[in-house]
Amino acid sequence: MLDKIHRVFGPVFFLLAVTAFGQPVSVITNRYGNDRQGVNQSETVLNTSNVTDSTFGKLFSLPVDGQVYAQPLYLPHVTIAGVVHNVVYTVTENNSIYAFDADSATAQVLWHVNVGPPIPCSAIPICTTYKGLQPIIGITSTPVIDAASGTIYVVAETFVNSVAAFYLHALDVTSGRERLGSPAQISGKVLGTGDPSYPSDAPGGQLVFNAFMEWQRPGLLELNGNIYIAFSGHQDTRPYHGWLFGYDGTSLRRVLIKCITPNGIEGGIWQSGAGLTADALGNVYLSVGNGTFDANTGGSDYGETVLKMNAISGMVVTTFFTPSNFQALNDDDADVGSVGTILLPGEQYAVAGSKAGVFFLLNSSQLGGYSSGPDAVLQEWPTDVKQYGDPIFYNNILYEWGAGWHAVGYQFNGSSFNTTPLIQGTDVAQAPAYANEPALGVSANGTTAGTGILWAAYSVSGQSDGFSYQGVFSAYNASTLNRIWSSEDNHARDDLGGWAKWATPTIANGKVYIPSFGSVNLSTPGGYSINVYGPLH
């Protein structure tokens, strides 16, 4: 593999600050934590009174070499070449990993590694008709950082001599150097008779992971020292399956391989990019999209299902939930896998959703199984929009914002939701086209009044087809959903540029980091960057 380190530094050490009051916070995984609530509750700088047009805006941009769909990650107090930096890490579809000084427009690149040629979309037949990603596919998912060892884990797809392959890379956060044993190729096979058209089916009823047909979208999960990686297909293009891999974080030895539909078809895990969810007892929760479901009759296929697996026992399914209308969801491409699973505080309850626009409140101990009659869940209710981009849970409110609609907040009373929104914004996500739902995040200083801010970015026109369309980035009072700031209020200063589809904004220590596709001229794409917003001085 190609490994280009642009700068090499001398001895270094790594320090992770704790998240007590007044001290820097770290953002080391997608959506701020393994519960995937989407909230930084340790933001002590930004609040609803100082995020205004006169006091807050774009400070600078950090240029990168390709599109960014992943959430930027953040570590404070990292010592590189004898200098202490707050560092923001980002990855690109060009298979690059960057470490930037998070506070400086001039220090900029601390290190930059490229891990090999990405696969051109032109090599994948579906890209000629449905342009989900353009023009290359490399690193799409949000990495994960192990703070104790100072390691960032990244999954990249490469294309060498017309052969596609996925690799798990373990890189030193201070230099970008590969750790011992890195990279590890992601590959393997399981027993199964699924999808007979699969070109890599092995004799004897074995199903082989086919990197060319798979897509790695969900953020990586670190749990009990292992790194878990989930896969789906390119725009539902068969043959593909949902796959789940686990690797030891130290040795990069594979410790798990599991196919979600070993005797069926499809069953992809994509979740609009949300990472797999995990609780304190080592259980993993995930949502599966369109595909074969036969677990209700003793089978092993789990399409259209929310799964709970136990990582300690090798990802054995301990409970699941499949809607009674799963076949209709399959037929209409309205899968439950369009959003990830959110664990509510206390881990007794979980929330899942679907493209059909239905939320499910689940008992995390017993998700509900399958019933041919009413679904055996705690609660389900329809909303006005299809669900993508992943909702947010903060201060007992579930926030959702669909394309062509308003932001809304549903109140949780400790055991159920009021299905009539408690709050509703007035701004409308202006482009109601398919998959243009805003990317959301919340920052707050706990539940202190006046500190909760809902951040949202979306495209103002055009379908999210891999090309760049003008985006808008705004901040809202999380208690009222009244807008307090927008990049369009002072476009010349604060322009977001091209919207990066479903890329969760990262709010850390008084600044906001959000990817941009840069130029909105489709004939001359480029200008990809991480925009940095914060208090104006």
Side-chain angles (χ1 to χ4, degrees):
M1 298 298 298
L2 187 63
D3 185 350
K4 298 177 180 177
I5 300 182
H6 289 196
R7 295 182 64 185
V8 179
F9 300 99
V12 296
F13 68 89
F14 172 76
L15 173 65
L16 173 65
V18 297
T19 58
F21 179 82
Q23 294 181 311
V25 68
S26 297
V27 182
I28 60 175
T29 191
N30 176 243
R31 294 171 57 80
Y32 299 96
N34 287 351
D35 54 22
R36 310 305 180 192
Q37 292 175 19
V39 183
N40 170 13
Q41 295 204 62
S42 300
E43 176 51 53
T44 61
V45 177
L46 302 178
N47 55 61
T48 57
S49 62
N50 62 23
V51 177
T52 70
D53 292 335
S54 61
T55 60
F56 182 87
K58 186 162 71 172
L59 304 178
F60 52 90
S61 294
L62 303 168
V64 295
D65 64 6
Q67 294 177 336
V68 178
Y69 286 85
Q71 179 181 356
L73 300 179
Y74 180 97
L75 284 178
H77 298 176
V78 181
T79 299
I80 299 177
V83 179
V84 177
H85 300 268
N86 296 325
V87 182
V88 61
Y89 299 87
T90 194
V91 294
T92 77
E93 294 293 349
N94 196 45
N95 276 337
S96 282
I97 305 100
Y98 289 85
F100 290 107
D101 186 291
D103 304 309
S104 172
T106 56
Q108 297 222 341
V109 181
L110 301 174
W111 55 259
H112 167 210
V113 174
N114 186 273
V115 293
I119 183 169
C121 291
S122 58
I124 303 171
I126 190 61
C127 286
T128 63
T129 56
Y130 186 96
K131 298 176 174 61
L133 291 177
Q134 289 289 327
I136 53 177
I137 303 174
I139 304 171
T140 307
S141 66
T142 301
V144 67
I145 293 174
D146 178 75
S149 65
T151 304
I152 182 169
Y153 297 91
V154 177
V155 170
E157 183 171 21
T158 61
F159 200 62
V160 178
N161 297 324
S162 298
V163 176
F166 284 97
Y167 289 89
L168 173 62
H169 296 263
L171 307 174
D172 188 319
V173 297
T174 66
S175 65
R177 296 187 183 94
E178 301 269 9
R179 296 291 193 190
L180 184 66
S182 178
Q185 185 171 358
I186 300 171
S187 61
K189 57 188 177 182
V190 298
L191 294 177
T193 57
D195 208 339
S197 64
Y198 209 116
S200 295
D201 275 353
Q206 291 181 319
L207 196 63
V208 177
F209 177 76
N210 184 338
F212 183 78
M213 297 304 298
E214 299 293 329
W215 184 36
Q216 206 282 296
R217 183 66 177 106
L220 307 188
L221 168 67
E222 181 178 30
L223 183 64
N224 296 329
N226 293 330
I227 308 301
Y228 294 99
I229 308 158
F231 289 85
S232 183
H234 298 284
Q235 310 303 332
D236 285 335
T237 304
R238 292 175 58 189
Y240 76 94
H241 294 268
W243 291 84
L244 185 60
F245 288 85
Y247 288 83
D248 181 276
T250 300
S251 67
L252 295 194
R253 176 181 59 88
R254 194 185 76 200
V255 296
L256 172 76
I257 178 172
K258 191 176 188 72
C259 181
I260 302 302
T261 52
N263 299 309
I265 64 171
E266 303 177 339
I269 309 162
W270 61 286
Q271 304 188 157
S272 295
L276 304 179
T277 303
D279 65 24
L281 298 178
N283 297 301
V284 175
Y285 304 78
L286 55 94
S287 296
V288 182
N290 301 324
T292 303
F293 172 71
D294 59 13
N296 60 317
T297 57
S300 55
D301 299 318
Y302 288 96
E304 299 287 6
T305 296
V306 180
L307 289 172
K308 178 181 179 180
M309 301 175 168
N310 187 269
I312 298 172
S313 61
M315 290 297 182
V316 172
V317 176
T318 57
T319 180
F320 70 91
F321 163 64
T322 308
S324 59
N325 64 338
F326 75 88
Q327 191 57 58
L329 297 180
N330 261 335
D331 295 342
D332 294 340
D333 188 25
D335 44 305
V336 298
S338 61
V339 294
T341 304
I342 298 175
L343 273 180
L344 305 192
E347 300 185 341
Q348 180 181 355
Y349 301 103
V351 172
S354 72
K355 285 186 195 175
V358 177
F359 274 129
F360 305 98
L361 177 64
L362 309 173
N363 182 327
S364 61
S365 297
Q366 179 55 253
L367 297 182
Y370 169 79
S371 171
S372 59
D375 292 328
V377 297
L378 298 177
Q379 191 177 14
E380 64 181 77
W381 72 99
T383 67
D384 293 307
V385 295
K386 295 182 177 181
Q387 293 161 0
Y388 299 85
D390 291 290
I392 303 289
F393 188 83
Y394 165 67
N395 198 18
N396 288 321
I397 295 178
L398 181 69
Y399 296 88
E400 178 194 34
W401 195 344
W405 197 241
H406 311 277
V408 297
Y410 300 96
Q411 187 172 35
F412 184 63
N413 66 15
S415 60
S416 65
F417 282 92
N418 184 341
T419 59
T420 299
L422 172 70
I423 49 177
Q424 178 171 303
T426 57
D427 284 359
V428 175
Q430 299 172 31
Y434 177 79
N436 272 336
E437 289 70 17
L440 305 176
V442 163
S443 63
N445 183 9
T447 57
T448 304
T451 66
I453 299 175
L454 176 72
W455 303 85
Y458 56 86
S459 170
V460 299
S461 65
Q463 181 170 320
S464 52
D465 56 6
F467 294 102
S468 183
Y469 298 97
Q470 180 61 47
V472 59
F473 184 43
S474 301
Y476 300 84
N477 185 318
S479 298
T480 64
L481 291 182
N482 293 330
R483 189 177 71 228
I484 58 176
W485 173 87
S486 174
S487 62
E488 292 302 286
D489 293 340
N490 188 335
H491 180 89
R493 182 190 69 194
D494 298 336
D495 178 28
L496 175 66
W499 177 58
K501 177 179 175 181
W502 299 332
T504 302
T506 293
I507 309 99
N509 305 318
K511 294 185 177 67
V512 184
Y513 305 87
I514 184 166
S516 169
F517 282 5
S519 172
V520 294
N521 184 339
L522 301 188
S523 62
T524 57
Y528 313 118
S529 67
I530 302 297
N531 286 345
V532 183
Y533 295 85
L536 301 171
H537 300 291

